[in-house]
Amino acid sequence: MRLFIAINFNDETRSRLLALRDELRGKSLSGNFTAPENLHLTLVFIGEVNPKKVDKIKAIMDTVTFAPFTATVERLGTFSRGTLWWAGLRDGNPLKDLQREIEHKLALCGFEMDGRKYSPHITLGREVVTDAKPWNIKPFSEMVTTIELMKSERISGKLTYTAIDTRRAII
Ligand code: 2AM
């Protein structure tokens, strides 16, 4: 079972992300653009896990505490030699602290992550073929009050993400 922990956005943020995705699509010859329901911010990618271990991960989620915080989408960028396009988050302390806490607690319980430096991003498209360079955007924000454990799978060939556990901020 392929798992990751993510922030899913409200409708307003999602429509702003979609507008960016569509602008990118308009500037591109081709690409695999993220479906509206799949737009998310990964906090920790856990990877393939034996389904028997899901309860352990849920128990770790139960111990994660965070206050609501503001997440701000503020720029565009690319990975993979310009073919993966993303919208980047302002790398503030609450987001960083939350990400580190989850990663640390998972590592203590024996879950191995890839150890790469965290770069908060929302993938807008993969295998994008374009002459465009990332352009400046007007930042937009949302108050984050939940994080979710997500299952990733292909259903009839379609990449599908499903929330299987939710942890709410302590208000
Ligand atoms: P990406 O969009 O940049 O590929 C589900 O795959 C989520 O986990 C995506 O947000 C993906 O980011 C992220 N992720 C992080 N590390 C990953 C890895 N090593 N393999 C696949 N997905 C990864």
Side-chain angles (χ1 to χ4, degrees), residues 5 44 46 57 60 102-111 113:
I5 295 172
V44 177
I46 304 173
I57 297 172
I60 294 168
I102 299 169
E103 200 170 64
H104 180 66
K105 285 181 166 168
L106 285 166
L108 282 180
C109 289
F111 293 96
M113 268 73 60

Side-chain angles (χ1 to χ4, degrees), residues 2 4 40 42 45 79 84 114 116 121 123 126 152 161:
R2 194 176 172 86
F4 60 100
H40 69 276
T42 291
F45 178 72
F79 292 151
L84 187 152
D114 61 13
R116 277 183 291 179
H121 69 279
T123 297
R126 300 169 199 276
S152 167
Y161 300 140

Side-chain angles (χ1 to χ4, degrees), residues 15-30 33 76 85 124-125 128-138 140:
S15 68
R16 286 175 186 252
L17 290 166
L18 270 180
L20 292 174
R21 184 206 69 167
D22 288 343
E23 206 177 335
L24 171 63
R25 182 150 57 185
K27 293 172 190 272
S28 304
L29 279 174
S30 61
F33 298 95
L76 296 178
W85 278 68
L124 301 175
V128 176
V129 178
T130 180
D131 286 340
K133 295 281 169 267
W135 61 94
N136 289 333
I137 64 168
K138 196 162 167 264
F140 51 95

Side-chain angles (χ1 to χ4, degrees), residues 87-103:
L89 276 280
R90 189 169 294 165
D91 202 1
N93 280 337
L95 178 65
K96 222 183 252 174
D97 291 348
L98 177 60
Q99 194 278 335
R100 282 199 192 128
E101 180 185 350
I102 299 169
E103 200 170 64

